[in-house]
Amino acid sequence: MKLNNLKMAGTDEVVDVGISGEQIANVSSNPGTTSIEEIQITFRDALVFPGLINSHDHLDFNLFQQLGTRIYSNYTEWGKDIHQAYKTEIAAVLKVPEQLRSVWGVYKNLLGGVTTVVNHGEKQLLEDAPLTVFENSHCLHSVKFEKGWKIKLNNPLKIKLPVNIHIGEGVDWPSYDEIDQLTRWNLLRKKLIGVHAVAMSEAQAKNFEAIVWCPQSNYFLLNQTAQVNGLKNSTRLLFGTDSTLTSHWDIWEHLRSARATKQISDAELFQTVNQNASKTWLMNNGEVAAGKDADIVIAKIKDHKKGFDAFFAITPADLLLVMHKGNIRLFDETILGQLKNIHVAEYSKVYINGVGKYVQGDLPGLMEKIKEYYPAVRFPLSANN
C-alpha cells in the first residue's frame, strides 16, 4: 500500500509512505515507482504522524461524566468525596458490564487517533481490539489505595516489568511524601513509571524511568499540574488522558491544554505521545520511518496552518485515516472511493460533528448494547447524521 502526498507533522516535508504487511516499508520525499496492482491513496492538504500513544487511561471508566464538587488537595480527598456525592451516578454506570465499558474505552481512543493505549488496572484481555492495549507492566494503583503495595512492589516474579503507579497526585505534603515512600521501598530497584507527579520535585524525578503527564485531569481535580518544565531534566515525559471521570474524552483537547501551559516546547510535547512513549514501553512504533510498525494517522490540515500549529489544531473530525499495524481501522468518507479492495461491511459508519467516518467493527451496535444498561449515556458521536 502507498500513501501519497503527505506532509510530515512538525516539518511539513512532503513524503510518500509505503506499507508492507504490519510495517512501514519506506518513506520517500521523491515519488518512486509503484506497481499497478499496489493500492494507492493520494491525499491533499494532509498531515501524517505516528499513531498517538496514550500512556495512561482506565478503559472501563470512560462512560462517566466528570465527577467532582470542588478543588481537592489530593486524590484520596477526591475519591472519598465522589463516592458520597455521586452514588447514584456511579451505580448507573457500573451497571454496564465491564467488558462493554472497556471496549468503549478502546473506541474512545481510536476515534482520537490513538493506536496504543496503556490501560491502568486489571488486565482486560480484549480480543480483536482495533488498537494496541498495552498491559505489559506491573500495574499498582497508588500508595494510598493499593493494599499491600510494599509487598506487591517487590514481587520478585515481576522484577523485569516496569512498575506503573499513580504517584504524587496532589498539592499537599502527603502527596510529596508518598513519592519518597515509594522510592525508599523500591528495594529491588525496579523501573518506576509514575502517573501524574503533580507534587514531584526534580530530585525525586531522578528515581523514575518516566512520568506520565495528565494536565487536564490534574487541573480538574487540583487546579495545578506537574512542573514538567523542571521534571524533564531528570526523567522522560510521557502523556496520558486518564478517564472521563476527570477529563475530556478527546485527547486533542488534552494536548491543547498541555500546550497552553507553555512548560515545554511543541517538539517536546509531540514526542510525549510517540517516541518517548515507544522507548519507555519498549515498542516498535512512535515514528513514521522504515522498519517501524505501521501505526500511522493522517489528518486534514486546517486553515493552511503549518508546522506544529497544524498538528495541535487537529480534532477527531479532521482524521482522514488511522492505521494500526498496517490495517486501516478508521477512515473518512471522502477517501472511500480510493479504497478499492476494502471490505466496507467490516466497518460501521458514524458521525463526529457531522463528519462521516468508517470505523472497523460494529460501533453503533456497541453503543446500543451500552444503552440497554445505561439509557442516560451520552456519546460524543452518532450513528446518524
Side-chain angles (χ1 to χ4, degrees):
M1 180 183 293
K2 193 91 171 294
L3 308 174
N4 299 321
N5 194 34
L6 300 167
K7 290 186 178 180
M8 290 282 270
T11 68
D12 292 334
E13 178 188 4
V14 179
V15 298
D16 295 345
V17 180
I19 311 297
S20 179
E22 295 187 355
Q23 293 191 337
I24 298 171
N26 55 74
V27 179
S28 175
S29 56
N30 298 307
T33 58
T34 303
S35 165
I36 296 175
E37 294 81 14
E38 187 171 6
I39 299 170
Q40 294 193 63
I41 310 173
T42 300
F43 296 86
R44 181 180 178 185
D45 297 325
L47 203 67
V48 63
F49 50 92
L52 305 183
I53 302 173
N54 181 0
S55 289
H56 183 69
D57 200 344
H58 300 267
L59 291 179
D60 58 333
F61 284 170
N62 284 293
L63 290 173
F64 287 100
Q65 301 298 308
Q66 288 177 290
L67 300 183
T69 62
R70 56 187 172 87
I71 300 300
Y72 303 90
S73 296
N74 56 56
Y75 66 100
T76 60
E77 278 187 11
W78 169 77
K80 292 175 183 177
D81 184 47
I82 65 168
H83 280 93
Q84 292 177 350
Y86 298 100
K87 288 181 180 179
T88 302
E89 291 86 347
I90 292 172
V93 172
L94 295 183
K95 287 181 181 177
V96 181
E98 183 179 5
Q99 177 83 1
L100 294 180
R101 288 187 278 124
S102 297
V103 174
W104 166 251
V106 167
Y107 276 105
K108 178 208 84 166
N109 279 277
L110 178 64
L111 293 167
V114 172
T115 55
T116 301
V117 58
V118 179
N119 182 52
H120 199 115
E122 295 295 324
K123 291 191 174 179
Q124 299 296 315
L125 302 176
L126 300 174
E127 296 182 2
D128 301 321
L131 48 69
T132 298
V133 178
F134 184 88
E135 297 181 296
N136 193 29
S137 69
H138 184 186
C139 193
L140 301 179
H141 186 277
S142 59
V143 167
K144 296 293 193 299
F145 288 156
E146 185 78 45
K147 292 182 180 179
W149 68 267
K150 295 175 185 177
I151 295 173
K152 292 177 181 177
L153 172 65
N154 292 290
N155 183 346
L157 299 179
K158 297 186 177 183
I159 194 168
K160 293 183 179 181
L161 294 176
V163 174
N164 181 8
I165 183 169
H166 298 89
I167 196 71
E169 190 181 1
V171 297
D172 54 4
W173 170 254
S175 301
Y176 174 86
D177 184 57
E178 75 170 21
I179 302 171
D180 287 338
Q181 290 183 51
L182 177 68
T183 55
R184 187 166 58 248
W185 279 97
N186 184 21
L187 304 178
L188 299 181
R189 297 294 180 262
K190 299 178 72 173
K191 290 183 178 180
L192 300 176
I193 302 189
V195 181
H196 297 301
V198 179
M200 188 176 288
S201 69
E202 287 187 51
Q204 290 173 321
K206 292 178 181 178
N207 296 305
F208 287 77
E209 178 80 4
I211 62 162
V212 185
W213 188 25
C214 305
Q216 196 173 91
S217 177
N218 301 154
Y219 281 120
F220 178 74
L221 260 65
L222 312 166
N223 201 32
Q224 288 188 39
T225 192
Q227 297 301 301
V228 294
N229 55 340
L231 299 182
K232 70 178 184 180
N233 299 319
S234 300
T235 191
R236 186 180 290 151
L237 298 183
L238 316 182
F239 196 83
T241 61
D242 218 325
S243 73
T244 56
L245 267 170
T246 57
S247 53
H248 200 279
W249 78 273
D250 174 9
I251 192 171
W252 297 97
E253 292 289 336
H254 293 249
L255 288 167
R256 283 188 281 275
S257 295
R259 193 188 194 202
T261 70
K262 298 182 179 180
Q263 286 204 60
I264 56 178
S265 71
D266 286 347
E268 289 171 324
L269 180 55
F270 180 70
Q271 290 172 359
T272 66
V273 288
N274 47 63
Q275 291 184 49
N276 285 5
S278 178
K279 290 175 183 176
T280 299
W281 303 116
L282 303 178
M283 298 182 292
N284 187 44
N285 55 9
E287 296 180 70
V288 180
K292 295 294 183 179
D293 289 347
D295 291 0
I296 296 172
V297 179
I298 299 170
K300 180 171 62 177
I301 297 173
K302 295 190 295 190
D303 303 323
H304 306 290
K305 292 182 183 293
K306 296 182 178 181
F308 284 117
D309 286 339
F311 176 78
F312 289 109
I314 291 169
T315 70
D318 300 320
L319 300 184
L320 299 174
L321 184 143
V322 178
M323 177 177 285
H324 169 249
K325 294 188 182 297
N327 296 294
I328 297 174
R329 306 301 194 186
L330 178 152
F331 62 91
D332 189 86
E333 60 185 352
T334 59
I335 67 169
L336 175 60
Q338 296 191 68
L339 301 175
K340 304 297 184 183
N341 297 330
I342 202 159
H343 299 290
V344 180
E346 296 178 2
Y347 297 77
S348 52
K349 192 172 185 181
V350 296
Y351 294 86
I352 302 176
N353 292 334
V355 181
K357 308 291 177 184
Y358 287 86
V359 184
Q360 193 170 47
D362 185 8
L363 183 50
L366 172 67
M367 294 161 64
E368 288 302 315
K369 286 181 182 177
I370 290 171
K371 287 179 182 178
E372 292 176 10
Y373 296 94
Y374 181 30
V377 65
R378 288 182 288 172
F379 292 109
L381 71 160
S382 66
N384 300 296
N385 191 4

